[in-house]
């Protein structure tokens, strides 16, 4: 089954404790992206990657890191989480320059930073 | 930068037709996408317009006018399960994708 998976789905942590949210896709997509969703603000892009070892900042990259060592995986790293990073996070993937610009989203990770 | 404006809430009756508008201001424009998101769920792709005109997919249609920087999503024969948030988004899938803040559609009996 074609899908984007994220882990963990739910996480409660404390300020300053490094964490990683994993994202994996099995569709051989070149493009992967991370978004955060906050009430009243919609989805905002954090980072995106157009292929292995190619990443770029989105609209709200501060406080986040990413890596793309393999095509299928795109982990999101919070080196020192803060309460303002409490949010719902989505990973997404798509083919590059597809006829239909369809992004496939993972199920989301709800993060709470105390 | 990009910005997209859409109404925050819309209410419509089951069986009716509803139109959700989206206006955009962008420094570069690739196309307009529409996504549906049910409460607690992930966004799912509905439609994409790269060129002016209407795209139809079953009960859903999407329209784009580049000259007016405007698009809309049209939902026909509304069903209760269509109650969800709908987002317009600008950009190609392989570039920076900017989303509007979403329109919460409530379908009432």
């Amino acid at each position: 089954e074609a899908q984007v998976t994220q882990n963990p789905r739910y996480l409660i942590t404390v300020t300053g404790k490094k964490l990683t949210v994993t994202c994996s896709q099995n569709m051989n997509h070149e493009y992967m992206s991370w978004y955060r969703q906050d009430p009243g603000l919609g989805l905002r892009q954090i980072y995106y990657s157009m292929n292995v070892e190619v990443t770029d900042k989105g609209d709200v990259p501060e406080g986040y890191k990413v890596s793309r060592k393999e095509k299928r995986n795109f982990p999101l790293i919070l080196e020192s989480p803060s309460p303002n990073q409490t949010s719902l996070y989505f990973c997404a993937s798509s083919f590059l320059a597809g006829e239909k610009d369809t992004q496939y989203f993972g199920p989301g990770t709800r993060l709470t930073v105390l | 930068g990009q910005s997209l404006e859409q109404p925050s809430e819309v209410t419509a009756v089951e069986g009716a037709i509803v139109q959700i508008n989206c206006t955009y201001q962008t420094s570069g424009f690739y196309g307009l996408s529409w996504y549906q998101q049910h409460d607690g769920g992930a966004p799912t792709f509905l439609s994409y317009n790269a060129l002016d005109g209407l795209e139809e997919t079953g009960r859903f249609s999407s329209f784009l006018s580049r000259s007016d920087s405007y698009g809309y999503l049209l939902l026909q024969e509304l069903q209760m399960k269509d109650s969800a948030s709908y987002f317009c988004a600008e950009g190609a899938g392989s570039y920076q994708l900017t989303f509007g803040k979403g329109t919460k559609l409530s379908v009432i009996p």
Side-chain angles (χ1 to χ4, degrees):
Chain A
E1 179 190 354
Q3 60 182 350
V4 179
T5 56
Q6 296 178 225
N7 282 292
R9 294 289 315 279
Y10 302 91
L11 178 61
I12 301 174
T13 189
V14 295
T15 298
K17 186 176 181 181
K18 180 180 179 180
L19 67 92
T20 299
V21 184
T22 64
C23 173
S24 184
Q25 50 93 6
N26 63 0
M27 295 169 279
N28 202 34
H29 286 162
E30 296 90 356
Y31 177 87
M32 297 185 75
S33 182
W34 276 102
Y35 298 89
R36 62 177 289 173
Q37 185 172 31
D38 303 288
L41 296 178
L43 287 144
R44 294 179 293 167
Q45 191 172 49
I46 303 171
Y47 270 94
Y48 64 98
S49 169
M50 295 176 71
N51 217 321
V52 176
E53 302 292 0
V54 180
T55 63
D56 208 347
K57 296 177 181 178
D59 294 320
V60 289
E62 294 77 20
Y64 304 95
K65 284 176 59 177
V66 293
S67 69
R68 188 90 181 273
K69 293 182 168 52
E70 305 166 282
K71 197 172 186 179
R72 64 183 292 127
N73 296 323
F74 189 45
L76 179 70
I77 303 155
L78 284 73
E79 294 269 2
S80 183
S82 62
N84 65 11
Q85 292 179 297
T86 292
S87 188
L88 178 59
Y89 292 86
F90 288 102
C91 179
S93 71
S94 71
F95 287 112
L96 277 176
E99 180 181 337
K100 297 287 187 182
D101 283 318
T102 305
Q103 289 208 14
Y104 296 85
F105 283 79
T109 295
R110 188 167 292 280
L111 172 66
T112 301
V113 183
L114 302 174
Chain B
Q2 322 322 53
S3 71
L4 297 97
E5 296 291 329
Q6 51 182 131
S8 58
E9 293 183 17
V10 172
T11 300
V13 178
E14 189 177 14
I17 299 172
V18 71
Q19 178 173 313
I20 299 173
N21 298 322
C22 176
T23 58
Y24 60 86
Q25 292 183 329
T26 66
S27 55
F29 181 79
Y30 290 97
L32 198 67
S33 302
W34 289 92
Y35 287 79
Q36 179 191 61
Q37 185 181 29
H38 287 98
D39 282 347
T44 56
F45 174 81
L46 290 177
S47 185
Y48 173 68
N49 295 71
L51 303 174
D52 284 2
L54 193 67
E55 290 276 345
E56 297 180 76
T57 310
R59 294 189 297 114
F60 295 177
S61 304
S62 60
F63 172 82
L64 176 65
S65 168
R66 285 174 170 261
S67 59
D68 296 322
S69 297
Y70 163 75
Y72 65 72
L73 179 70
L74 192 73
L75 296 82
Q76 303 182 70
E77 301 173 20
L78 279 173
Q79 302 175 9
M80 298 300 291
K81 67 179 182 180
D82 296 329
S83 292
S85 291
Y86 293 83
F87 295 87
C88 58
E90 189 280 328
S94 55
Y95 295 91
Q96 248 183 307
L97 197 64
T98 300
F99 283 80
K101 294 181 180 179
T103 298
K104 186 176 177 66
L105 171 64
S106 298
V107 181
I108 58 175

